[in-house]
Amino acid sequence: APGTTYEYSNLGVSLLGRALALKMGTTYEALVEERVLTPLGMNSTSITLGPDQQGRLAPGHAPYLQPIRTWEMATLQASGSLRSTAEDMLNLLEAYLGRAEEPRLRDAVGVQLREGVELEEAFQPLGLGLQADGTYRHSGGKQGYRSGLAFNPRTGVAAVVLANTRTYDSEPMAIALSAVS
């Protein structure tokens, strides 16, 4: 029944991103740039990398540390196409900690943290995991890369861990959570 279980879906996130862009009469990339990246000063975050970003991109690596070509997600952009820097991700985390200057963005973040599914064992916010201590988390990755971010609005502590390898013996999320806890 609706509202009784939760499952994160990259396909669902991608379809939502596409639907929002179509509704606004633009591309997903342009919509995210206008509504999120520019207001947060995330100038080194984008889907289409410029020459400067290409020159700074850390190449991705496979599980045994051999260089690997990372695919472009032209169709499913909302679920893994953005490339960023630690500094830009910290700007995003500042917004999640309630420090966004743009009122619409501050309101949107608030909705994301408040809305979700009330499950039997815990509350599940939109697109984020929530720990019992009030720490929110999200991990990501694609071929050659992994990431983890965690933040706790109550303590004001946040962390982001970016890795240019997708090994199975290191977990960016575990590092981010240990930094916030």
Side-chain angles (χ1 to χ4, degrees):
T4 59
T5 62
Y6 172 87
E7 186 170 333
Y8 183 84
S9 167
N10 281 332
L11 178 60
V13 168
S14 290
L15 291 173
L16 177 60
R18 178 85 173 124
L20 289 171
L22 287 173
K23 173 74 174 159
M24 299 306 293
T26 188
T27 65
Y28 175 75
E29 183 171 17
L31 183 62
V32 169
E33 184 176 331
E34 175 192 337
R35 296 288 182 101
V36 179
L37 303 179
T38 299
L40 289 178
M42 297 177 69
N43 302 318
S44 289
T45 302
S46 63
I47 293 173
T48 304
L49 300 181
D52 176 58
Q53 291 170 300
Q54 282 284 357
R56 293 183 286 129
L57 180 66
H61 292 81
Y64 296 102
L65 304 182
Q66 67 271 34
I68 192 167
R69 183 176 176 278
T70 301
W71 62 75
E72 299 300 323
M73 299 175 71
T75 307
L76 303 174
Q77 289 185 330
S79 66
S81 292
L82 284 167
R83 294 188 182 117
S84 193
T85 63
E87 184 176 351
D88 274 11
M89 291 304 295
L90 290 172
N91 287 349
L92 177 66
L93 287 170
E94 286 285 324
Y96 277 121
L97 292 175
R99 301 175 190 142
E101 293 179 21
E102 167 70 38
R104 287 188 314 174
L105 199 52
R106 191 173 44 246
D107 292 346
V109 167
V111 167
Q112 183 184 11
L113 299 182
R114 275 192 320 274
E115 298 296 323
V117 178
E118 190 66 53
L119 302 175
E120 190 173 301
E121 64 278 0
F123 174 72
Q124 178 61 56
L126 297 173
L128 296 167
L130 180 59
Q131 309 273 113
D133 69 352
T135 298
Y136 292 85
R137 60 180 162 62
H138 189 75
S139 62
K142 63 181 187 177
Q143 191 169 349
Y145 298 92
R146 292 189 81 180
S147 62
L149 65 80
F151 62 95
N152 188 316
R154 184 181 47 78
T155 64
V157 178
V160 61
V161 178
L162 305 176
N164 67 324
T165 187
R166 190 164 182 135
T167 65
Y168 301 106
D169 61 348
S170 67
E171 177 57 49
M173 179 51 63
I175 298 167
L177 283 171
S178 69
V180 173
S181 298

